[in-house]
Amino acid sequence: MTIHTKASVPRIIIADDHDMVRRGLCLLLEEAGAARIVGEARAADAMISLLERIDADLLVTDFSMPSPVENDGAGMLELVARRWPTLPVVVLTMATSVHIIRTILQTGAKAVVGKADGVAELIRALEAARQDRIYLGNTVQAILRGAEGDTLGGKCVPTLTIRESEVLRMYASGLAVGAIATKLNKSRKTISRQKMSAMDKLSLRSDLEIYEYARRQGLRTR
């Protein structure tokens, strides 16, 4: 593992709505000399506020982190990419869905690490992100290889667009089509069309099948 000098230790903002996870990561990274934590957030809006006020070298964030003000998920990551295009983003996730991993990478995140991967994997991801390299944790690589997660009975996994993946995730979390349309600033017709397109690609025929699929694939993280 790389030995960091004081000057090379990156300033990091960590965002996760689970207090024990967030605090544990802060302690482990600082004890390892791999990071200097300059901000913590438990919701998307608090994270955006920190980014506006504090200079950081890296952002480490959960993917699903509900907020009453800002969108989480892909919308949150796209906002960060637009406003802070040079800031490397490392995403921690419990999701086991190919679609979620693809969505995260499409937003421009430099690294994706499963929460089960451990702090050593996260440190490697931080080092790669600082060097402008893509890094995928062990569990994430396994998901994308089809060794686990979204295999759809061994068939080729269909590709959802970022919006289709987000709409399905938000719908599975309990939001109605109208509420999703409001959060994403889209029409109900657009959201309904994206929901139906995702269902068609995944051969899901009912809301019950959506919920079951989401449960199995880690789309429902709450």
Side-chain angles (χ1 to χ4, degrees):
M1 188 177 298
T2 302
I3 297 176
H4 297 275
T5 65
K6 186 174 181 180
S8 71
V9 174
R11 298 163 299 170
I12 295 180
I13 290 174
I14 291 188
D16 193 295
D17 61 333
H18 292 93
D19 292 341
M20 291 183 65
V21 171
R22 190 180 67 253
R23 290 304 304 144
L25 287 174
C26 290
L27 291 171
L28 289 169
L29 289 174
E30 289 194 326
E31 286 180 358
R36 179 161 65 91
I37 309 303
V38 295
E40 297 179 45
R42 61 183 304 178
D45 54 349
M47 183 191 79
I48 297 301
S49 178
L50 283 176
L51 290 172
E52 290 173 338
R53 295 184 288 107
I54 300 174
D55 287 331
D57 300 310
L58 287 161
L59 170 65
V60 177
T61 181
D62 195 355
F63 180 73
S64 183
M65 192 169 53
S67 166
V69 179
E70 296 284 354
N71 289 326
D72 63 343
M76 175 185 72
L77 296 178
E78 288 174 329
L79 175 61
V80 171
R82 286 196 305 272
R83 295 187 59 183
W84 296 277
T86 62
L87 178 68
V89 177
V90 176
V91 177
L92 290 172
T93 182
M94 293 177 63
T96 59
S97 167
V98 169
H99 305 299
I100 289 292
I101 304 305
R102 287 174 176 168
T103 294
I104 292 170
L105 292 172
Q106 287 170 343
T107 65
K110 286 297 179 185
V112 189
V113 179
K115 288 188 177 180
D117 279 329
V119 71
E121 278 288 278
L122 177 57
I123 291 173
R124 285 190 282 270
L126 297 178
E127 293 171 349
R130 289 192 76 189
Q131 296 168 16
D132 199 31
R133 293 187 288 110
I134 299 294
Y135 187 90
L136 303 177
N138 289 329
T139 61
V140 173
Q141 292 183 48
I143 290 167
L144 292 179
R145 286 197 304 266
E148 62 187 62
D150 205 347
T151 58
L152 297 181
K155 299 179 181 179
C156 181
V157 179
T159 300
L160 300 185
T161 67
I162 290 180
R163 289 291 163 254
E164 289 168 349
S165 178
E166 274 295 274
V167 167
L168 198 67
R169 182 182 71 87
M170 295 171 79
Y171 190 82
S173 72
L175 289 177
V177 168
I180 297 172
T182 298
K183 284 184 73 69
L184 298 182
N185 195 28
K186 301 292 182 181
S187 69
R188 288 176 59 99
K189 183 177 180 180
T190 295
I191 299 302
S192 181
R193 182 175 67 249
Q194 290 169 337
K195 171 177 173 278
M196 294 305 295
S197 177
M199 290 178 68
D200 183 60
K201 289 179 180 180
L202 298 172
S203 299
L204 302 176
R205 296 177 295 277
S206 67
D207 287 354
L208 184 61
E209 291 189 2
I210 291 177
Y211 298 140
E212 175 58 19
Y213 173 82
R215 182 191 66 78
R216 288 187 289 107
Q217 304 305 326
L219 289 166
R220 297 185 73 181
T221 56
R222 294 292 176 271

